[in-house]
Amino acid sequence: MAAVPHMLIERLEKSYQLHRFIPGQNQEALAFVAPDIQAIVANGESRVTADFLARFPAVRILAVFGVGYDGVDVGAARAQGISVTHTPDVLTDDVADLAIALMLSAARAVPAADRFVRAGKWLEGGFPLSRKVSGSRLGIVGLGRIGLAIAQRAAGFQMETSYWARQPKPLVPYAYYPSLQALASSVDILIVSTVGGQPTRGLVNAEVLDALGPHGILVNVARGSVVDEKALVRALMNKNIAGAGLDVFTDEPRVSEDLLGMDNVVLTPHIASATLETRIAMSDMVMQNLAAHFEGKPLISQVPYE
Ligand code: 8YV
């Protein structure tokens, strides 16, 4: 699990008395100060359960460093009078950029081609042909801020974009498929950019991957939980799909040995929002939300209560 970055910790330390919680390590020390803690900062992957929150009776704000807050029990936070904030918008471009990078890398086999050159194999012959991206059909799973930014970029590649979402989006020029399987069967590349958590768990399952088909490529920049990873491994092994580009995993930072061994899979370590510029902007948002809370002003990016 990624920790809150050092740049944010340094800024928090300048304004607040900071206690760092390292799961499985300093629980007793933290229990000692827990009644006095007024705010919690977590990252997008943090698991913040009702039991955890119950240990901090004075907390009134939980600021998530990330757009996704699927690890937070928002209902429990609400019941305890805790406002939850996150960092939307500032990371949209970066996540969409990485989705396109993974799409191109997987379809054009860029990392495999790089390994090929470095291993001196070029001297023995040419590299196998890859798949054309420009003009191909793109399916987007979840057309929120990030999905829309991916669609805009895909337009530059003359891709025909369609999407699945829990509800159709008004006023978008892309075809809506109420069935994810039907979407998968009519595209070449499927990019997952939907929210994580219970509503989307295992959404991309064996049937969806089968529908994507032997020339299809799957990209995931959302959450590992959205894809049935065992089904994905089987689909890749049996060549039911052609390849994948993955930034998120079921049990990250542990990545399945099967995926590690596959040449047609491009793997990145949950870095979609990890540029210096964006991480500074995300840190700014966390600081601004905390400051607003302690000054009694409206929060700048509170998550909706479900
Ligand atoms: C971060 C994320 O990697 O925004 C999210 O939901 O998953 C990412 O931006 C994460 O929050 C940093 O730990």
Side-chain angles (χ1 to χ4, degrees):
M1 186 207 281
V4 171
H6 199 66
M7 65 162 81
L8 176 56
I9 289 175
E10 277 179 356
R11 291 175 67 180
L12 289 166
E13 269 170 345
K14 285 195 182 123
S15 304
Y16 304 98
Q17 194 185 342
L18 191 67
H19 299 277
R20 294 176 68 180
F21 176 70
I22 303 162
Q25 280 189 31
N26 59 343
Q27 309 222 7
E28 279 172 31
L30 199 79
F32 192 67
V33 293
D36 300 324
I37 288 181
Q38 294 172 289
I40 295 176
V41 176
N43 68 34
E45 300 103 297
S46 300
R47 296 275 155 267
V48 185
T49 61
D51 283 351
F52 181 82
L53 289 174
R55 293 158 59 185
F56 302 94
V59 166
R60 291 293 169 266
I61 180 164
L62 166 58
V64 177
F65 176 83
V67 66
Y69 52 90
D70 45 290
V72 176
D73 187 334
V74 176
R78 179 186 199 175
Q80 213 176 298
I82 300 173
S83 306
V84 181
T85 66
H86 65 151
T87 63
D89 301 318
V90 291
L91 46 63
T92 300
D93 282 340
D94 272 1
V95 180
D97 288 354
L98 193 83
I100 298 295
L102 287 172
M103 172 180 80
L104 291 169
S105 299
R108 300 301 307 271
V110 177
D114 177 271
R115 289 191 290 271
F116 181 88
V117 174
R118 287 173 199 273
K121 291 187 183 163
W122 197 5
L123 298 166
E124 296 156 23
F127 187 71
L129 298 179
S130 60
R131 305 293 306 196
K132 180 168 178 172
V133 171
S134 284
S136 65
R137 298 164 304 169
L138 171 65
I140 300 181
V141 183
L143 200 71
R145 304 175 188 87
I146 293 169
L148 280 169
I150 292 168
Q152 282 166 2
R153 283 156 177 72
F157 293 90
Q158 292 81 44
M159 297 180 86
E160 186 195 311
T161 297
S162 41
Y163 73 102
W164 173 92
R166 281 172 290 172
Q167 299 293 329
K169 310 281 168 182
L171 306 175
V172 297
Y174 314 113
Y176 172 65
Y177 283 76
S179 150
L180 181 51
Q181 213 172 316
L183 174 70
S185 69
S186 55
V187 298
D188 306 298
I189 294 162
L190 194 63
I191 301 186
V192 182
S193 64
T194 187
V195 295
Q198 209 43 49
T200 57
R201 191 169 297 282
L203 187 71
V204 178
N205 56 22
E207 289 73 35
V208 171
L209 294 167
D210 274 352
L212 187 56
H215 299 304
I217 286 170
L218 178 80
V219 171
N220 188 4
V221 289
R223 286 286 181 265
S225 59
V226 184
V227 175
D228 178 344
E229 204 169 274
K230 289 202 167 79
L232 174 62
V233 166
R234 274 197 305 275
L236 286 161
M237 276 181 168
N238 300 336
K239 307 223 178 310
N240 292 348
I241 69 167
L246 307 171
D247 187 48
V248 286
F249 305 87
T250 304
D251 189 26
E252 58 190 58
R254 282 161 291 276
V255 176
S256 106
E257 289 293 328
D258 291 327
L259 289 174
L260 293 177
M262 289 176 187
D263 216 33
N264 56 342
V265 177
V266 182
L267 308 167
T268 51
H270 200 148
I271 53 164
S273 69
T275 65
L276 180 61
E277 294 83 351
T278 294
R279 288 293 164 89
I280 290 172
M282 291 164 68
S283 301
D284 288 347
M285 264 180 121
V286 169
M287 296 302 293
Q288 286 159 6
N289 274 306
L290 290 174
H293 169 76
F294 286 113
E295 288 162 17
K297 294 183 181 155
L299 299 171
I300 58 161
S301 51
Q302 188 167 5
V303 310
Y305 280 135
E306 279 124 26

